[in-house]
Amino acid sequence: MKTKIKSQLRKVQDWFQTPSLKFKAFYWKVATQLQKKEFWSYYHLAKVQLQQQNWQEAELSFRHCLSLDNTLALAHHELADVLQQQAKFEEA
């Protein structure tokens, strides 16, 4: 039984090593639903949305992250980049 569980865990770990962007986005969306007050979930969701070039969703996720913890410099920096991508230069 332990060998079977270890084998399954290895498969899951391998799967997490190289997941698709769709899977990553799904994972972090679920994480944000389960941990509504955890700013890191929103930050990582926004980073995936950046990789997908989904600027509007990334902006919303970074803003939500910052509403939970306004001191996260990384999120401020990434939000400024997202705003520039959308030509919202005054906001950036």
Side-chain angles (χ1 to χ4, degrees):
M1 184 69 168
K2 287 183 180 180
T3 306
K4 185 177 181 180
I5 292 172
K6 285 182 180 179
S7 172
Q8 290 174 338
L9 282 173
R10 268 190 239 109
K11 286 180 185 178
V12 170
Q13 287 171 340
D14 291 343
W15 192 47
F16 270 97
Q17 295 296 324
T18 56
S20 68
L21 285 177
K22 282 184 180 181
F23 172 76
K24 286 181 180 179
F26 173 76
Y27 175 85
W28 288 113
K29 281 183 183 181
V30 169
T32 60
Q33 294 301 311
L34 295 174
Q35 304 171 353
K36 294 184 185 290
K37 297 196 186 254
E38 178 56 50
F39 65 92
W40 281 115
S41 298
Y42 290 95
Y43 175 80
H44 289 294
L45 174 59
K47 291 291 287 182
V48 172
Q49 292 163 335
L50 276 180
Q51 291 176 328
Q52 293 174 322
Q53 296 182 351
N54 189 346
W55 312 122
Q56 293 171 333
E57 291 296 318
E59 178 185 349
L60 292 174
S61 295
F62 280 126
R63 289 188 186 280
H64 195 91
C65 171
L66 289 168
S67 75
L68 296 172
D69 183 355
N70 197 31
T71 64
L72 187 62
L74 289 171
H76 283 284
H77 175 78
E78 298 286 357
L79 177 59
D81 288 346
V82 169
L83 292 170
Q84 287 179 353
Q85 287 292 333
Q86 297 177 85
K88 296 180 179 178
F89 300 112
E90 288 187 25
E91 278 186 80

